[in-house]
mmCIF file of all heavy atoms in Angstrom:
data_model
loop_
_atom_site.group_PDB
_atom_site.id
_atom_site.type_symbol
_atom_site.label_atom_id
_atom_site.label_comp_id
_atom_site.label_asym_id
_atom_site.label_seq_id
_atom_site.Cartn_x
_atom_site.Cartn_y
_atom_site.Cartn_z
ATOM 1 N N MET A 383 0.848 -1.201 0.000
ATOM 2 C CA MET A 383 0.000 0.000 0.000
ATOM 3 C C MET A 383 0.876 1.239 0.000
ATOM 4 O O MET A 383 1.749 1.395 0.841
ATOM 5 C CB MET A 383 -0.873 -0.037 1.252
ATOM 6 C CG MET A 383 -1.776 1.166 1.379
ATOM 7 S SD MET A 383 -2.973 0.877 2.675
ATOM 8 C CE MET A 383 -3.998 2.321 2.428
ATOM 9 N N ASP A 384 0.639 2.142 -0.945
ATOM 10 C CA ASP A 384 1.417 3.375 -1.017
ATOM 11 C C ASP A 384 0.611 4.547 -0.458
ATOM 12 O O ASP A 384 -0.609 4.545 -0.500
ATOM 13 C CB ASP A 384 1.786 3.675 -2.473
ATOM 14 C CG ASP A 384 2.783 2.670 -3.010
ATOM 15 O OD1 ASP A 384 3.406 1.970 -2.200
ATOM 16 O OD2 ASP A 384 2.931 2.601 -4.224
ATOM 17 N N CYS A 385 1.316 5.536 0.025
ATOM 18 C CA CYS A 385 0.662 6.722 0.565
ATOM 19 C C CYS A 385 -0.090 7.451 -0.549
ATOM 20 O O CYS A 385 0.444 7.671 -1.635
ATOM 21 C CB CYS A 385 1.715 7.632 1.198
ATOM 22 S SG CYS A 385 1.025 9.170 1.807
ATOM 23 N N VAL A 386 -1.317 7.856 -0.254
ATOM 24 C CA VAL A 386 -2.106 8.547 -1.272
ATOM 25 C C VAL A 386 -1.640 9.985 -1.435
ATOM 26 O O VAL A 386 -1.936 10.631 -2.438
ATOM 27 C CB VAL A 386 -3.603 8.538 -0.904
ATOM 28 C CG1 VAL A 386 -4.135 7.108 -0.938
ATOM 29 C CG2 VAL A 386 -3.852 9.179 0.440
ATOM 30 N N ALA A 387 -0.917 10.494 -0.438
ATOM 31 C CA ALA A 387 -0.497 11.887 -0.489
ATOM 32 C C ALA A 387 0.849 12.043 -1.191
ATOM 33 O O ALA A 387 1.018 12.936 -2.012
ATOM 34 C CB ALA A 387 -0.434 12.466 0.919
ATOM 35 N N CYS A 388 1.813 11.181 -0.873
ATOM 36 C CA CYS A 388 3.153 11.361 -1.420
ATOM 37 C C CYS A 388 3.643 10.111 -2.146
ATOM 38 O O CYS A 388 4.764 10.086 -2.624
ATOM 39 C CB CYS A 388 4.133 11.742 -0.308
ATOM 40 S SG CYS A 388 4.467 10.414 0.855
ATOM 41 N N SER A 389 2.797 9.075 -2.245
ATOM 42 C CA SER A 389 3.130 7.850 -2.967
ATOM 43 C C SER A 389 4.286 7.094 -2.345
ATOM 44 O O SER A 389 4.885 6.241 -2.975
ATOM 45 C CB SER A 389 3.445 8.160 -4.439
ATOM 46 O OG SER A 389 2.298 8.664 -5.063
ATOM 47 N N SER A 390 4.612 7.402 -1.114
ATOM 48 C CA SER A 390 5.676 6.685 -0.441
ATOM 49 C C SER A 390 5.221 5.278 -0.065
ATOM 50 O O SER A 390 4.051 5.038 0.213
ATOM 51 C CB SER A 390 6.085 7.447 0.825
ATOM 52 O OG SER A 390 6.947 6.642 1.610
ATOM 53 N N ALA A 391 6.160 4.357 -0.056
ATOM 54 C CA ALA A 391 5.847 2.988 0.352
ATOM 55 C C ALA A 391 6.203 2.767 1.820
ATOM 56 O O ALA A 391 6.080 1.665 2.328
ATOM 57 C CB ALA A 391 6.598 2.005 -0.525
ATOM 58 N N ALA A 392 6.658 3.829 2.486
ATOM 59 C CA ALA A 392 7.073 3.702 3.880
ATOM 60 C C ALA A 392 5.877 3.804 4.803
ATOM 61 O O ALA A 392 5.776 4.690 5.632
ATOM 62 C CB ALA A 392 8.098 4.796 4.205
ATOM 63 N N MET A 393 4.942 2.879 4.647
ATOM 64 C CA MET A 393 3.734 2.912 5.446
ATOM 65 C C MET A 393 3.907 2.068 6.692
ATOM 66 O O MET A 393 4.443 0.975 6.642
ATOM 67 C CB MET A 393 2.552 2.380 4.639
ATOM 68 C CG MET A 393 2.288 3.181 3.388
ATOM 69 S SD MET A 393 1.924 4.897 3.772
ATOM 70 C CE MET A 393 0.525 4.665 4.858
ATOM 71 N N THR A 394 3.414 2.558 7.810
ATOM 72 C CA THR A 394 3.439 1.816 9.050
ATOM 73 C C THR A 394 2.024 1.421 9.425
ATOM 74 O O THR A 394 1.130 2.259 9.426
ATOM 75 C CB THR A 394 4.027 2.670 10.185
ATOM 76 O OG1 THR A 394 5.176 3.335 9.716
ATOM 77 C CG2 THR A 394 4.401 1.786 11.359
ATOM 78 N N GLU A 395 1.824 0.153 9.722
ATOM 79 C CA GLU A 395 0.493 -0.274 10.144
ATOM 80 C C GLU A 395 0.350 -0.077 11.632
ATOM 81 O O GLU A 395 1.183 -0.530 12.410
ATOM 82 C CB GLU A 395 0.258 -1.734 9.767
ATOM 83 C CG GLU A 395 -1.154 -2.191 10.093
ATOM 84 C CD GLU A 395 -1.420 -3.612 9.598
ATOM 85 O OE1 GLU A 395 -0.638 -4.142 8.800
ATOM 86 O OE2 GLU A 395 -2.428 -4.185 10.043
ATOM 87 N N ARG A 396 -0.724 0.595 12.033
ATOM 88 C CA ARG A 396 -0.947 0.845 13.453
ATOM 89 C C ARG A 396 -1.567 -0.387 14.099
ATOM 90 O O ARG A 396 -2.314 -1.108 13.466
ATOM 91 C CB ARG A 396 -1.904 2.034 13.638
ATOM 92 C CG ARG A 396 -1.540 3.235 12.818
ATOM 93 C CD ARG A 396 -0.209 3.834 13.250
ATOM 94 N NE ARG A 396 -0.191 4.151 14.671
ATOM 95 C CZ ARG A 396 -0.613 5.294 15.198
ATOM 96 N NH1 ARG A 396 -1.076 6.224 14.429
ATOM 97 N NH2 ARG A 396 -0.557 5.517 16.470
ATOM 98 N N PRO A 397 -1.237 -0.618 15.381
ATOM 99 C CA PRO A 397 -1.833 -1.763 16.091
ATOM 100 C C PRO A 397 -3.326 -1.580 16.339
ATOM 101 O O PRO A 397 -4.062 -2.545 16.471
ATOM 102 C CB PRO A 397 -1.068 -1.800 17.416
ATOM 103 C CG PRO A 397 -0.495 -0.437 17.580
ATOM 104 C CD PRO A 397 -0.280 0.113 16.189
ATOM 105 N N GLN A 398 -3.779 -0.332 16.409
ATOM 106 C CA GLN A 398 -5.206 -0.089 16.641
ATOM 107 C C GLN A 398 -5.969 -0.255 15.343
ATOM 108 O O GLN A 398 -5.449 -0.077 14.252
ATOM 109 C CB GLN A 398 -5.437 1.326 17.171
ATOM 110 C CG GLN A 398 -4.688 1.628 18.449
ATOM 111 C CD GLN A 398 -3.356 2.286 18.144
ATOM 112 O OE1 GLN A 398 -2.977 2.415 16.995
ATOM 113 N NE2 GLN A 398 -2.661 2.682 19.185
ATOM 114 N N ARG A 399 -7.251 -0.585 15.493
ATOM 115 C CA ARG A 399 -8.139 -0.626 14.344
ATOM 116 C C ARG A 399 -9.240 0.393 14.533
ATOM 117 O O ARG A 399 -9.509 0.831 15.642
ATOM 118 C CB ARG A 399 -8.752 -2.017 14.192
ATOM 119 C CG ARG A 399 -7.685 -3.083 13.948
ATOM 120 C CD ARG A 399 -8.221 -4.206 13.110
ATOM 121 N NE ARG A 399 -7.147 -5.114 12.714
ATOM 122 C CZ ARG A 399 -7.302 -6.030 11.777
ATOM 123 N NH1 ARG A 399 -8.452 -6.156 11.165
ATOM 124 N NH2 ARG A 399 -6.317 -6.807 11.438
ATOM 125 N N THR A 400 -9.886 0.735 13.449
ATOM 126 C CA THR A 400 -11.001 1.667 13.554
ATOM 127 C C THR A 400 -12.192 0.971 14.197
ATOM 128 O O THR A 400 -12.188 -0.242 14.409
ATOM 129 C CB THR A 400 -11.427 2.175 12.169
ATOM 130 O OG1 THR A 400 -12.011 1.104 11.443
ATOM 131 C CG2 THR A 400 -10.237 2.708 11.392
ATOM 132 N N ALA A 401 -13.225 1.738 14.478
ATOM 133 C CA ALA A 401 -14.424 1.182 15.106
ATOM 134 C C ALA A 401 -15.039 0.099 14.223
ATOM 135 O O ALA A 401 -15.705 -0.807 14.719
ATOM 136 C CB ALA A 401 -15.424 2.299 15.364
ATOM 137 N N ARG A 402 -14.831 0.198 12.940
ATOM 138 C CA ARG A 402 -15.403 -0.782 12.017
ATOM 139 C C ARG A 402 -14.436 -1.926 11.728
ATOM 140 O O ARG A 402 -14.736 -2.815 10.935
ATOM 141 C CB ARG A 402 -15.779 -0.104 10.707
ATOM 142 C CG ARG A 402 -16.671 1.095 10.929
ATOM 143 C CD ARG A 402 -17.481 1.404 9.703
ATOM 144 N NE ARG A 402 -18.904 1.376 10.020
ATOM 145 C CZ ARG A 402 -19.864 1.113 9.121
ATOM 146 N NH1 ARG A 402 -19.544 0.865 7.874
ATOM 147 N NH2 ARG A 402 -21.111 1.116 9.443
ATOM 148 N N GLY A 403 -13.283 -1.890 12.344
ATOM 149 C CA GLY A 403 -12.360 -2.998 12.203
ATOM 150 C C GLY A 403 -11.387 -2.873 11.044
ATOM 151 O O GLY A 403 -10.719 -3.839 10.694
ATOM 152 N N TYR A 404 -11.294 -1.685 10.475
ATOM 153 C CA TYR A 404 -10.355 -1.503 9.376
ATOM 154 C C TYR A 404 -8.969 -1.238 9.922
ATOM 155 O O TYR A 404 -8.801 -0.608 10.957
ATOM 156 C CB TYR A 404 -10.788 -0.334 8.481
ATOM 157 C CG TYR A 404 -12.138 -0.530 7.864
ATOM 158 C CD1 TYR A 404 -13.118 0.445 7.980
ATOM 159 C CD2 TYR A 404 -12.420 -1.704 7.167
ATOM 160 C CE1 TYR A 404 -14.362 0.268 7.407
ATOM 161 C CE2 TYR A 404 -13.663 -1.885 6.597
ATOM 162 C CZ TYR A 404 -14.636 -0.898 6.716
ATOM 163 O OH TYR A 404 -15.856 -1.079 6.155
ATOM 164 N N ARG A 405 -7.980 -1.702 9.188
ATOM 165 C CA ARG A 405 -6.613 -1.449 9.612
ATOM 166 C C ARG A 405 -6.249 0.010 9.390
ATOM 167 O O ARG A 405 -6.738 0.646 8.476
ATOM 168 C CB ARG A 405 -5.650 -2.351 8.829
ATOM 169 C CG ARG A 405 -5.767 -3.797 9.252
ATOM 170 C CD ARG A 405 -4.880 -4.672 8.409
ATOM 171 N NE ARG A 405 -5.305 -4.631 7.002
ATOM 172 C CZ ARG A 405 -4.569 -5.072 6.003
ATOM 173 N NH1 ARG A 405 -3.404 -5.568 6.224
ATOM 174 N NH2 ARG A 405 -5.016 -5.011 4.775
ATOM 175 N N ARG A 406 -5.353 0.524 10.221
ATOM 176 C CA ARG A 406 -4.945 1.921 10.111
ATOM 177 C C ARG A 406 -3.483 1.982 9.727
ATOM 178 O O ARG A 406 -2.667 1.166 10.157
ATOM 179 C CB ARG A 406 -5.173 2.634 11.449
ATOM 180 C CG ARG A 406 -6.541 2.388 11.993
ATOM 181 C CD ARG A 406 -6.686 2.989 13.370
ATOM 182 N NE ARG A 406 -6.790 4.449 13.272
ATOM 183 C CZ ARG A 406 -6.995 5.244 14.327
ATOM 184 N NH1 ARG A 406 -7.075 4.744 15.516
ATOM 185 N NH2 ARG A 406 -7.095 6.535 14.172
ATOM 186 N N PHE A 407 -3.174 2.977 8.934
ATOM 187 C CA PHE A 407 -1.803 3.141 8.472
ATOM 188 C C PHE A 407 -1.342 4.577 8.683
ATOM 189 O O PHE A 407 -2.141 5.498 8.734
ATOM 190 C CB PHE A 407 -1.697 2.811 6.983
ATOM 191 C CG PHE A 407 -2.090 1.407 6.654
ATOM 192 C CD1 PHE A 407 -3.401 1.090 6.357
ATOM 193 C CD2 PHE A 407 -1.141 0.399 6.645
ATOM 194 C CE1 PHE A 407 -3.776 -0.211 6.044
ATOM 195 C CE2 PHE A 407 -1.505 -0.904 6.347
ATOM 196 C CZ PHE A 407 -2.822 -1.204 6.044
ATOM 197 N N ARG A 408 -0.025 4.732 8.754
ATOM 198 C CA ARG A 408 0.537 6.064 8.848
ATOM 199 C C ARG A 408 1.765 6.120 7.951
ATOM 200 O O ARG A 408 2.557 5.185 7.895
ATOM 201 C CB ARG A 408 0.940 6.383 10.291
ATOM 202 C CG ARG A 408 1.549 7.760 10.451
ATOM 203 C CD ARG A 408 1.876 8.024 11.918
ATOM 204 N NE ARG A 408 2.604 9.278 12.048
ATOM 205 C CZ ARG A 408 3.927 9.364 11.873
ATOM 206 N NH1 ARG A 408 4.624 8.297 11.616
ATOM 207 N NH2 ARG A 408 4.515 10.528 11.988
ATOM 208 N N CYS A 409 1.891 7.230 7.236
ATOM 209 C CA CYS A 409 3.037 7.411 6.348
ATOM 210 C C CYS A 409 4.197 7.992 7.131
ATOM 211 O O CYS A 409 4.051 9.001 7.810
ATOM 212 C CB CYS A 409 2.658 8.344 5.203
ATOM 213 S SG CYS A 409 4.037 8.686 4.095
ATOM 214 N N ARG A 410 5.337 7.340 7.024
ATOM 215 C CA ARG A 410 6.496 7.827 7.772
ATOM 216 C C ARG A 410 7.163 8.997 7.065
ATOM 217 O O ARG A 410 8.000 9.687 7.620
ATOM 218 C CB ARG A 410 7.511 6.693 7.946
ATOM 219 C CG ARG A 410 7.150 5.784 9.124
ATOM 220 C CD ARG A 410 8.207 4.726 9.359
ATOM 221 N NE ARG A 410 8.205 3.747 8.278
ATOM 222 C CZ ARG A 410 9.206 2.922 8.038
ATOM 223 N NH1 ARG A 410 10.271 2.961 8.775
ATOM 224 N NH2 ARG A 410 9.129 2.070 7.053
ATOM 225 N N ASP A 411 6.811 9.226 5.810
ATOM 226 C CA ASP A 411 7.427 10.323 5.075
ATOM 227 C C ASP A 411 6.681 11.638 5.267
ATOM 228 O O ASP A 411 7.274 12.658 5.566
ATOM 229 C CB ASP A 411 7.494 9.973 3.584
ATOM 230 C CG ASP A 411 8.646 9.028 3.299
ATOM 231 O OD1 ASP A 411 9.525 8.898 4.171
ATOM 232 O OD2 ASP A 411 8.663 8.428 2.229
ATOM 233 N N CYS A 412 5.364 11.631 5.107
ATOM 234 C CA CYS A 412 4.592 12.874 5.233
ATOM 235 C C CYS A 412 3.728 12.900 6.484
ATOM 236 O O CYS A 412 3.173 13.936 6.814
ATOM 237 C CB CYS A 412 3.740 13.095 3.974
ATOM 238 S SG CYS A 412 2.319 11.993 3.834
ATOM 239 N N GLY A 413 3.590 11.768 7.165
ATOM 240 C CA GLY A 413 2.856 11.745 8.421
ATOM 241 C C GLY A 413 1.364 11.584 8.263
ATOM 242 O O GLY A 413 0.634 11.587 9.243
ATOM 243 N N LYS A 414 0.887 11.435 7.056
ATOM 244 C CA LYS A 414 -0.550 11.298 6.849
ATOM 245 C C LYS A 414 -1.037 9.973 7.413
ATOM 246 O O LYS A 414 -0.376 8.962 7.279
ATOM 247 C CB LYS A 414 -0.860 11.386 5.353
ATOM 248 C CG LYS A 414 -2.355 11.339 5.067
ATOM 249 C CD LYS A 414 -2.597 11.597 3.592
ATOM 250 C CE LYS A 414 -4.062 11.414 3.240
ATOM 251 N NZ LYS A 414 -4.921 12.326 4.042
ATOM 252 N N GLN A 415 -2.210 10.005 8.032
ATOM 253 C CA GLN A 415 -2.784 8.793 8.594
ATOM 254 C C GLN A 415 -4.111 8.497 7.932
ATOM 255 O O GLN A 415 -4.892 9.404 7.656
ATOM 256 C CB GLN A 415 -3.011 8.966 10.100
ATOM 257 C CG GLN A 415 -1.728 9.222 10.861
ATOM 258 C CD GLN A 415 -1.996 9.345 12.355
ATOM 259 O OE1 GLN A 415 -2.567 8.450 12.971
ATOM 260 N NE2 GLN A 415 -1.595 10.453 12.944
ATOM 261 N N TYR A 416 -4.367 7.240 7.670
ATOM 262 C CA TYR A 416 -5.659 6.854 7.134
ATOM 263 C C TYR A 416 -5.868 5.370 7.322
ATOM 264 O O TYR A 416 -4.952 4.635 7.665
ATOM 265 C CB TYR A 416 -5.783 7.222 5.649
ATOM 266 C CG TYR A 416 -4.560 6.936 4.821
ATOM 267 C CD1 TYR A 416 -4.380 5.694 4.248
ATOM 268 C CD2 TYR A 416 -3.607 7.913 4.619
ATOM 269 C CE1 TYR A 416 -3.271 5.431 3.491
ATOM 270 C CE2 TYR A 416 -2.486 7.672 3.859
ATOM 271 C CZ TYR A 416 -2.331 6.427 3.293
ATOM 272 O OH TYR A 416 -1.212 6.182 2.549
ATOM 273 N N ASN A 417 -7.091 4.924 7.108
ATOM 274 C CA ASN A 417 -7.349 3.499 7.213
ATOM 275 C C ASN A 417 -7.516 2.920 5.817
ATOM 276 O O ASN A 417 -7.500 3.641 4.821
ATOM 277 C CB ASN A 417 -8.569 3.216 8.098
ATOM 278 C CG ASN A 417 -9.841 3.785 7.531
ATOM 279 O OD1 ASN A 417 -10.147 3.579 6.350
ATOM 280 N ND2 ASN A 417 -10.587 4.514 8.327
ATOM 281 N N GLU A 418 -7.710 1.602 5.752
ATOM 282 C CA GLU A 418 -7.720 0.949 4.444
ATOM 283 C C GLU A 418 -8.963 1.302 3.632
ATOM 284 O O GLU A 418 -9.069 0.917 2.472
ATOM 285 C CB GLU A 418 -7.588 -0.562 4.621
ATOM 286 C CG GLU A 418 -8.737 -1.195 5.400
ATOM 287 C CD GLU A 418 -8.473 -2.680 5.646
ATOM 288 O OE1 GLU A 418 -7.590 -3.254 4.991
ATOM 289 O OE2 GLU A 418 -9.141 -3.242 6.518
ATOM 290 N N ARG A 419 -9.901 2.017 4.237
ATOM 291 C CA ARG A 419 -11.097 2.426 3.502
ATOM 292 C C ARG A 419 -11.055 3.900 3.135
ATOM 293 O O ARG A 419 -11.852 4.347 2.324
ATOM 294 C CB ARG A 419 -12.343 2.165 4.355
ATOM 295 C CG ARG A 419 -12.630 0.700 4.518
ATOM 296 C CD ARG A 419 -13.257 0.103 3.268
ATOM 297 N NE ARG A 419 -14.575 0.702 3.022
ATOM 298 C CZ ARG A 419 -15.358 0.360 2.004
ATOM 299 N NH1 ARG A 419 -14.954 -0.551 1.149
ATOM 300 N NH2 ARG A 419 -16.499 0.926 1.832
ATOM 301 N N SER A 420 -10.173 4.655 3.719
ATOM 302 C CA SER A 420 -10.196 6.105 3.519
ATOM 303 C C SER A 420 -9.207 6.561 2.465
ATOM 304 O O SER A 420 -9.235 7.699 2.041
ATOM 305 C CB SER A 420 -9.928 6.845 4.839
ATOM 306 O OG SER A 420 -8.569 6.709 5.187
ATOM 307 N N GLY A 421 -8.334 5.690 2.052
ATOM 308 C CA GLY A 421 -7.351 6.121 1.082
ATOM 309 C C GLY A 421 -7.074 5.043 0.063
ATOM 310 O O GLY A 421 -7.329 3.880 0.292
ATOM 311 N N GLY A 422 -6.604 5.434 -1.085
ATOM 312 C CA GLY A 422 -6.192 4.423 -2.042
ATOM 313 C C GLY A 422 -7.124 4.290 -3.217
ATOM 314 O O GLY A 422 -8.175 4.915 -3.295
ATOM 315 N N VAL A 423 -6.731 3.429 -4.118
ATOM 316 C CA VAL A 423 -7.409 3.304 -5.406
ATOM 317 C C VAL A 423 -8.803 2.710 -5.259
ATOM 318 O O VAL A 423 -9.735 3.114 -5.925
ATOM 319 C CB VAL A 423 -6.568 2.421 -6.336
ATOM 320 C CG1 VAL A 423 -7.224 2.319 -7.702
ATOM 321 C CG2 VAL A 423 -5.172 3.001 -6.456
ATOM 322 N N LEU A 424 -8.947 1.752 -4.345
ATOM 323 C CA LEU A 424 -10.233 1.089 -4.181
ATOM 324 C C LEU A 424 -11.353 2.080 -3.868
ATOM 325 O O LEU A 424 -12.408 2.086 -4.463
ATOM 326 C CB LEU A 424 -10.144 0.048 -3.061
ATOM 327 C CG LEU A 424 -9.774 -1.361 -3.519
ATOM 328 C CD1 LEU A 424 -9.665 -2.283 -2.319
ATOM 329 C CD2 LEU A 424 -10.799 -1.901 -4.497
ATOM 330 N N ASN A 425 -11.084 2.937 -2.877
ATOM 331 C CA ASN A 425 -12.080 3.900 -2.458
ATOM 332 C C ASN A 425 -12.420 4.854 -3.603
ATOM 333 O O ASN A 425 -13.571 5.204 -3.815
ATOM 334 C CB ASN A 425 -11.559 4.679 -1.262
ATOM 335 C CG ASN A 425 -12.688 5.379 -0.504
ATOM 336 O OD1 ASN A 425 -13.711 4.753 -0.246
ATOM 337 N ND2 ASN A 425 -12.519 6.614 -0.187
ATOM 338 N N HIS A 426 -11.406 5.254 -4.331
ATOM 339 C CA HIS A 426 -11.649 6.151 -5.467
ATOM 340 C C HIS A 426 -12.587 5.508 -6.475
ATOM 341 O O HIS A 426 -13.491 6.135 -6.982
ATOM 342 C CB HIS A 426 -10.322 6.482 -6.155
ATOM 343 C CG HIS A 426 -9.780 7.803 -5.720
ATOM 344 N ND1 HIS A 426 -10.398 8.988 -5.994
ATOM 345 C CD2 HIS A 426 -8.682 8.122 -5.021
ATOM 346 C CE1 HIS A 426 -9.697 9.967 -5.477
ATOM 347 N NE2 HIS A 426 -8.643 9.476 -4.871
ATOM 348 N N ALA A 427 -12.358 4.249 -6.742
ATOM 349 C CA ALA A 427 -13.148 3.554 -7.752
ATOM 350 C C ALA A 427 -14.613 3.490 -7.341
ATOM 351 O O ALA A 427 -15.509 3.584 -8.160
ATOM 352 C CB ALA A 427 -12.607 2.146 -7.954
ATOM 353 N N GLN A 428 -14.841 3.382 -6.018
ATOM 354 C CA GLN A 428 -16.219 3.247 -5.557
ATOM 355 C C GLN A 428 -16.945 4.581 -5.507
ATOM 356 O O GLN A 428 -18.148 4.641 -5.632
ATOM 357 C CB GLN A 428 -16.214 2.631 -4.159
ATOM 358 C CG GLN A 428 -15.818 1.162 -4.201
ATOM 359 C CD GLN A 428 -15.636 0.582 -2.812
ATOM 360 O OE1 GLN A 428 -15.620 1.309 -1.837
ATOM 361 N NE2 GLN A 428 -15.482 -0.704 -2.713
ATOM 362 N N THR A 429 -16.206 5.665 -5.291
ATOM 363 C CA THR A 429 -16.856 6.954 -5.141
ATOM 364 C C THR A 429 -16.888 7.744 -6.436
ATOM 365 O O THR A 429 -17.381 8.837 -6.477
ATOM 366 C CB THR A 429 -16.132 7.795 -4.058
ATOM 367 O OG1 THR A 429 -14.771 7.860 -4.414
ATOM 368 C CG2 THR A 429 -16.283 7.143 -2.703
ATOM 369 N N ARG A 430 -16.338 7.179 -7.507
ATOM 370 C CA ARG A 430 -16.339 7.910 -8.773
ATOM 371 C C ARG A 430 -17.053 7.118 -9.857
ATOM 372 O O ARG A 430 -16.438 6.297 -10.538
ATOM 373 C CB ARG A 430 -14.897 8.164 -9.212
ATOM 374 C CG ARG A 430 -14.262 9.285 -8.427
ATOM 375 C CD ARG A 430 -13.190 9.925 -9.244
ATOM 376 N NE ARG A 430 -12.498 10.953 -8.466
ATOM 377 C CZ ARG A 430 -11.461 11.609 -8.940
ATOM 378 N NH1 ARG A 430 -11.002 11.332 -10.134
ATOM 379 N NH2 ARG A 430 -10.898 12.543 -8.237
ATOM 380 N N PRO A 431 -18.316 7.355 -10.024
ATOM 381 C CA PRO A 431 -19.019 6.672 -11.123
ATOM 382 C C PRO A 431 -18.507 7.171 -12.476
ATOM 383 O O PRO A 431 -18.263 8.361 -12.655
ATOM 384 C CB PRO A 431 -20.477 7.062 -10.914
ATOM 385 C CG PRO A 431 -20.415 8.347 -10.144
ATOM 386 C CD PRO A 431 -19.178 8.258 -9.275
ATOM 387 N N THR A 432 -18.344 6.274 -13.361
ATOM 388 C CA THR A 432 -17.804 6.654 -14.666
ATOM 389 C C THR A 432 -18.940 6.990 -15.644
ATOM 390 O O THR A 432 -19.850 6.221 -15.794
ATOM 391 C CB THR A 432 -16.952 5.519 -15.250
ATOM 392 O OG1 THR A 432 -17.592 4.268 -15.055
ATOM 393 C CG2 THR A 432 -15.621 5.487 -14.580
HETATM 394 ZN ZN1 ZN B 1396 2.936 10.159 2.561
#
């Protein structure tokens, strides 16, 4: 999984999960935090009807 903000691969998985059970990640390069549902290509595909 690459950072959606800076495309870095230096992602750290947090031990905590969200209330819905999604894994959380943090970018060590830019510090951005998100879970597996809030960032990335998958979410984009679902929220952008073609
Ligand atoms: Zn980043």
